[in-house]
Amino acid sequence: MSVRPAWEVRESEGATRWFEFRLAFPDGARVDALALVAGGSVCVEEVRAQPALTLDDLAVLADWIEEAVAGACAAGSGSGGSGSGRRARPVRPRGAEGRQLVAREYRAAQRDGTDPVLAVMSATGHGRRTSLRLIGQARDAGLLPARRTRR
């Protein structure tokens, strides 16, 4: 995925920023999107896809865009400006460090008797779907035990 800032409008309290996204796949499929960040929220304004996306595909695309916007805002927050540096969500470690964070939060919630998925959502700033995916990645890495199956 390529992400590039499109434009920014500064106001007295903060800034509104637009980002352009492009996903290109080896089979020739392509997705272009325009998203804006304002007041700590991300809004997808336009999506063009060839071939067309299903609703499930749009949900996955939204997760990708949220993560990419968070990274782009974090990278751009230190460059010239008033230092407000608002982001769509807190920056969390990626890769092995991110999986360790997820596993730590998950296990702590289990010990405390609270919902582990909500704990991961709170720690990462991601929604339920992305948090479940991150928990699965931590399981695949051997940081969490396999899911118990109910019979």
Side-chain angles (χ1 to χ4, degrees):
M1 172 184 286
S2 68
V3 180
R4 89 186 161 104
W7 64 91
E8 181 174 333
V9 176
R10 291 208 171 270
E11 301 171 86
S12 60
E13 297 284 321
T16 301
R17 301 168 69 183
W18 283 263
F19 294 89
E20 294 176 334
F21 299 87
R22 172 164 284 173
L23 284 142
F25 298 93
D27 64 357
R30 190 177 85 219
V31 178
D32 295 307
L34 179 67
L36 76 88
V37 178
S41 297
V42 178
C43 176
V44 177
E45 289 199 332
E46 182 178 335
V47 175
R48 294 182 187 177
Q50 212 42 331
L53 297 174
T54 65
L55 289 176
D56 289 337
D57 293 337
L58 281 172
V60 171
L61 177 66
D63 289 341
W64 285 350
I65 287 175
E66 281 184 322
E67 289 178 17
V69 165
C73 287
S77 66
S79 61
S82 62
S84 66
R86 290 176 150 204
R87 288 182 222 121
R89 71 171 39 109
V91 176
R92 70 167 179 86
R94 296 189 182 276
E97 288 179 8
R99 287 187 294 274
Q100 288 172 352
L101 167 72
V102 167
R104 228 180 3 258
E105 293 296 327
Y106 189 94
R107 285 191 305 267
Q110 282 182 322
R111 275 192 311 272
D112 297 341
T114 61
D115 185 346
V117 176
L118 289 178
V120 171
M121 289 170 62
S122 177
T124 63
H126 288 293
R128 185 170 189 79
R129 179 183 302 235
T130 301
S131 294
L132 288 169
R133 185 172 41 101
L134 294 171
I135 291 166
Q137 290 172 355
R139 279 197 177 103
D140 292 345
L143 300 170
L144 291 172
R147 274 182 70 183
R148 295 184 199 128
T149 56
R150 295 183 184 180
R151 293 180 188 212

